Amino acid sequence: MKIFSGIRPSGQIHLGNYLGAIKQWIDLQKENECVFSIVDLHAITTPYDPKELKKDILNTAIIYLAAGVDPDKSIIFVQSRVQEHSELAWLFETITPMGELNRMTQFKEKSKENKDYINSGLLNYPVLMTADILLYKADAVPVGKDQEQHLELTRTIAKKFNQKFGDTFKEPKSLILKEGAKIMSLTDPKRKMSKSDDKKSYISLFDSPEEITKKIMSATTDSGKEVKYNITKKPGISNLLTIYSLLSNQTTQEIEKMFVKKSYSEFKKSLAEVVVNYLEPFRRKQKEFSAREIYVEEILNQGKSKALVIAQETIQEVRSKMGLS
Ligand code: AQP
């Protein structure tokens, strides 16, 4: 299969991004043609600081590498350096119904969060995402649950294009994990873990052991004392149990048994240890890659060259089918 996925460099990559998306990438790259982008053009649709963005782009590349994305197997590149993404997005905008964009949940949520920053880029975000995916004619897109609606729109746009201009694109499916597709905030377990939220609400993959322990120990839990998975009655504990389960490779039932008659605090201490140990290689590799910025830039340059070859071929085909050249 051809696979495309990306993350916006809009802050610190967290456990949700990792468990919902990046972890899948590592398995998928073994047997598929994978393209993983640092989607910086998406990051500028919400408030940002240009100096920070530059750092976040590099840090996101380092996360990909530290998590195990292999540049010999997968293409890793920065979206804005391949201009065909913007061009294809514009071309798709001309066949995307406005109504479809207005009803997107992410647009509504981000507009509410950033009332002074409701720009048309934010509205058109899913069209750019469609261009990202279809430029590489991807069969599948590994993402967290929050992106499913955008993937539906991608399929709609692919279908529309094919009907109007002739068979060109496949309708890509989303690869959404059964567990981990929606990791919740540590401070408000009814909300998704998000990098643009308060730092206490997420665990960054590069947090220090002290930071991780502090965040987990102060994570919102529920009334009652039992460590039991119950998403409606105990959303806080259930979210922590999901994280425990995914990082320790044990089922939630096995973990519940370990904590029968034990307190929330004992459970959280143990979870903090699991998370600290799991993320230890990430912290180590981050230090290694941060000291080798030129090497990371070289990987991004090579990725760009490989991505360009595919992107230019698709753009030529689209231009020609649309009567532009
Ligand atoms: N909480 C989550 N649980 C599981 N998967 C998640 N993803 C995001 N949050 C969770 C998945 O991570 C990938 C990258 O997402 P993104 O950064 O491109 O955009 P996002 O979905 O908007 O992520 P954030 O963390 O909420 O960022 P901000 O706050 O900047 O908007 C996607 O596959 C996403 O599904």
Side-chain angles (χ1 to χ4, degrees):
M1 284 196 299
K2 286 187 186 154
I3 305 286
F4 178 91
S5 196
I7 294 188
R8 39 187 234 135
S10 49
Q12 298 190 30
I13 311 292
H14 53 72
L15 264 185
N17 301 134
Y18 175 72
L19 293 172
I22 304 177
K23 202 160 168 251
Q24 295 197 67
W25 304 357
I26 312 305
D27 291 332
L28 285 164
Q29 70 177 351
K30 290 180 196 146
E31 289 180 0
N32 301 283
E33 284 173 44
C34 294
V35 180
F36 299 125
S37 184
I38 295 146
V39 286
D40 53 349
L41 294 174
H42 288 281
I44 59 174
T45 58
T46 43
Y48 73 102
D49 171 351
K51 282 194 207 111
E52 289 302 314
L53 178 61
K54 219 168 170 207
K55 282 190 227 153
D56 284 339
I57 291 171
L58 187 73
N59 279 335
T60 305
I62 290 177
I63 294 262
Y64 288 10
L65 297 169
V69 179
D70 179 350
D72 290 330
K73 292 196 181 113
S74 305
I75 298 176
I76 307 174
F77 75 104
V78 181
Q79 178 195 32
S80 67
R81 299 183 192 171
V82 176
Q83 289 168 11
E84 284 71 8
H85 286 255
S86 308
E87 181 174 351
L88 190 58
W90 174 254
L91 300 177
F92 284 158
E93 269 166 46
T94 64
I95 57 164
T96 307
M98 280 286 290
E100 294 275 351
L101 297 175
N102 271 323
R103 66 180 189 86
M104 292 289 129
T105 309
Q106 182 175 293
F107 172 67
K108 288 184 196 157
E109 282 176 2
K110 297 273 183 220
S111 303
K112 246 191 247 161
E113 280 166 29
N114 307 297
K115 288 203 173 64
D116 302 330
Y117 212 90
I118 308 175
N119 56 81
S120 57
L122 189 62
L123 180 72
N124 287 311
Y125 185 112
V127 187
L128 177 58
M129 183 166 155
T130 298
D132 299 337
I133 297 164
L134 298 187
L135 202 48
Y136 302 93
K137 301 207 171 168
D139 301 285
V141 187
V143 280
K145 214 175 188 166
D146 61 320
Q147 295 297 331
E148 173 58 9
Q149 197 185 29
H150 290 168
L151 255 297
E152 266 168 36
L153 181 66
T154 298
R155 289 188 283 273
T156 304
I157 295 175
K159 209 183 294 167
K160 263 188 181 295
F161 187 95
N162 291 345
Q163 280 164 357
K164 227 169 151 52
F165 303 108
D167 215 18
T168 312
F169 297 111
K170 293 172 222 165
E171 291 174 37
K173 60 178 177 188
S174 45
L175 301 176
I176 298 178
L177 293 171
K178 276 206 193 93
E179 301 291 337
K182 194 169 185 188
I183 299 294
M184 309 310 280
S185 152
L186 296 181
T187 48
D188 178 0
K190 297 237 162 81
R191 283 163 62 92
K192 170 181 101 85
M193 187 177 278
S194 251
K195 38 180 139 63
S196 47
D197 240 351
D198 187 80
K199 275 195 169 36
K200 280 187 273 180
S201 70
Y202 62 80
I203 294 172
S204 146
L205 298 188
F206 296 154
D207 272 347
S208 69
E210 296 72 32
E211 284 168 318
I212 294 171
T213 308
K214 206 169 159 198
K215 286 180 185 179
I216 292 180
M217 293 312 289
S218 56
T220 304
T221 40
D222 321 283
S223 54
K225 288 180 181 163
E226 264 184 310
V227 177
K228 202 121 194 80
Y229 191 94
N230 184 328
I231 206 79
T232 39
K233 290 192 181 139
K234 287 175 173 274
I237 285 291
S238 302
N239 187 41
L240 298 182
L241 270 167
T242 301
I243 297 174
Y244 201 128
S245 161
L246 291 168
L247 298 188
S248 68
N249 257 332
Q250 300 174 87
T251 63
T252 45
Q253 291 88 337
E254 283 168 335
I255 302 163
E256 282 171 1
K257 272 190 203 145
M258 284 162 51
F259 292 96
V260 172
K261 298 209 173 120
K262 294 204 173 145
S263 64
Y264 282 169
S265 158
E266 283 168 288
F267 166 66
K268 283 173 157 183
K269 251 185 226 156
S270 173
L271 172 61
E273 256 173 56
V274 168
V275 179
V276 167
N277 289 336
Y278 192 93
L279 294 182
E280 193 280 326
F282 290 78
R283 290 188 294 276
R284 187 167 30 84
K285 287 186 194 155
Q286 185 229 6
K287 280 195 194 120
E288 286 168 20
F289 285 118
S290 298
R292 300 173 70 199
E293 258 184 47
I294 295 172
Y295 170 70
V296 178
E297 272 302 336
E298 182 52 32
I299 289 174
L300 293 176
N301 277 334
Q302 284 174 8
K304 172 190 162 179
S305 306
K306 291 184 207 160
L308 254 183
V309 174
I310 310 171
Q312 283 174 341
E313 197 179 311
T314 306
I315 270 291
Q316 272 318 318
E317 185 185 356
V318 170
R319 282 173 145 269
S320 149
K321 286 190 169 155
M322 290 182 81
L324 290 165
S325 58

